[in-house]
Amino acid sequence: MAAPSGSWLRLSKDGVSDAFIVSKVLPTNASRDGTIKACEASLKRLGTDHIDLYLLHWRGRYPLADTVEAFEALRQSGKIGAWGVSNFDADDMEELLAVPDGGNVAANQVLYNLARRGIEYDLLKDSQVRGIPIMAYSPLDEGRLMRHPDLIHIAKAHQATVAQVALAFLIRNPGVIVIPKTAMPERVRENRATVEVQLTADDLAILDRAFPPPGRKMPLEMI
Ligand SMILES: NC(=O)c1ccc[n+]([C@@H]2O[C@H](COP(=O)([O-])OP(=O)(O)OC[C@H]3O[C@@H](n4cnc5c(N)ncnc54)[C@H](OP(=O)(O)O)[C@@H]3O)[C@@H](O)[C@H]2O)c1
């Protein structure tokens, strides 16, 4: 699900039928040859010849330059459409952008939700300036946000759902994409319809009181 400003993420009208395949390589496999082998094994397991977006799951011991070289080879052969990273903090992104072709990174998938706003201090702004999409994982805090009284109150005022308010808070940021997990098609549609929900300045003030933004650098959290 993309921010209203648009991105490369495809969505059909009902938000269900058009799949955008994202897969990841584990850092332990992320050598030059290991990345290519891992991707080919994923293609086989998925029964497809193309992965839309292929991510390095988190930083490991292999030089980023080697992983990026493999990603570029996979992209040129058409096995992947784009590559990105996951769980990269601001300093990791600096290092990535310094390696050859590092600037081709298409997304950084990180933990971001109302209860975990640490990236707003630096990573989010840096990414926006550079035009690198942030893919917010666990955007509903693994479902825990559903019970929050302020979210319930704001949802009622908008005739929206609590999940939509939590997601609207994230996608109001240009360049932020959310990937709420659900196995229920009606919830996929509900989550997709978040793009219709516009939070007001009063809503945002309530949310800032309940979930204060970071006042200092916090190391990127991972789950
Ligand atoms: N890159 C990484 O290191 C990393 C780490 C963790 C997670 N992730 C990815 O992040 C994605 C989502 O994260 P997550 O599963 O941890 O947490 P999440 O999306 O924040 O929360 C998922 C929970 O919310 C519920 N839910 C979804 N839509 C709802 C709705 N409209 N109303 C009420 N409940 C709703 C789901 O229940 P139902 O299923 O019953 O609907 C599920 O219990 C996954 O695709 C996962 O692969 C990535």
Side-chain angles (χ1 to χ4, degrees), residues 163-196:
Q164 288 172 337
V165 172
L167 298 175
F169 176 83
L170 303 179
I171 64 169
R172 82 188 198 292
N173 295 296
V176 172
I177 296 154
V178 289
I179 51 166
K181 173 261 155 189
T182 180
M184 299 168 66
E186 62 274 25
R187 283 187 173 173
V188 174
R189 290 187 195 93
E190 174 191 330
N191 295 345
R192 167 71 178 86
T194 297
V195 293
E196 311 297 335

Side-chain angles (χ1 to χ4, degrees), residues 56-59 64 85-97 108-111 117-127 130 132 134 137 216-222:
L56 173 61
H57 208 152
W58 63 85
R59 284 212 58 180
L64 288 174
V85 292
S86 179
N87 298 301
F88 268 44
D89 206 341
D91 54 345
D92 299 313
M93 290 306 285
E94 293 288 339
E95 281 183 56
L96 175 65
L97 293 171
N108 184 11
Q109 187 180 116
V110 293
L111 178 63
R117 295 180 60 178
I119 71 161
E120 290 177 20
Y121 190 79
D122 52 358
L123 180 62
L124 176 59
K125 290 179 203 126
D126 293 354
S127 305
R130 292 173 171 143
I132 302 169
I134 288 283
Y137 76 70
R216 61 183 168 82
K217 170 68 186 166
M218 330 237 302
L220 181 64
E221 292 179 90
M222 283 174 66

